[in-house]
Amino acid sequence: MRALGRHVLAEFYDCPFEVLNDLKQVERNMVQAALDAGAEVREFVFHKFSPQGVSGVVVISESHLAIHTWPELGYASVDVFTCGDRVDPWDACKILKESFQAGSVEAQEIARGMNVPLHKVAVNF
């Protein structure tokens, strides 16, 4: 059985404070990674926290990329979820490792929608 989507959960370590705390740079890195991986960007929203940190999401036709940063720890939590075969979520992760200047990345992939029936089923609640 084929999965509906691939969800990579990535831990980015040893990133420079300035990179993870810059709203526009985080936004630019995330959007560019989606585009460079071949995704079709639909919308994006990012928020800067006080005293530090950035959260955001890039909505792509294939699903999404999301991030939350802890600049004071040099850490970012990143999700890349893609549906279909056109976009490989690992491509976006590799691009993000470089753009966030991560010293190391730990990541795992989860297959999403493995047990979804291929036909529509009516359910009454």
Side-chain angles (χ1 to χ4, degrees), residues 9-64:
L9 307 174
E11 316 287 336
F12 287 65
Y13 297 103
D14 303 318
C15 303
F17 178 95
E18 313 76 46
V19 173
L20 295 183
N21 202 44
D22 184 327
L23 173 74
K24 287 299 176 189
Q25 187 169 0
V26 171
E27 179 181 289
R28 191 170 43 251
N29 289 350
M30 294 290 287
V31 170
Q32 195 61 52
L35 292 170
D36 289 351
E40 184 177 342
V41 173
R42 293 298 185 168
E43 295 182 59
F44 53 90
V45 63
F46 287 82
H47 176 79
K48 175 84 166 63
F49 292 96
S50 180
Q52 67 259 335
V54 176
S55 282
V57 64
V58 179
V59 178
I60 58 177
S61 294
E62 300 80 9
S63 193
H64 71 272

Side-chain angles (χ1 to χ4, degrees), residues 1-7 81 109-118:
M1 181 177 279
R2 231 175 86 186
L4 294 178
R6 300 169 65 194
H7 197 164
F81 184 14
E109 180 176 326
I110 299 171
R112 303 299 301 267
M114 287 298 294
N115 296 317
V116 175
L118 296 179

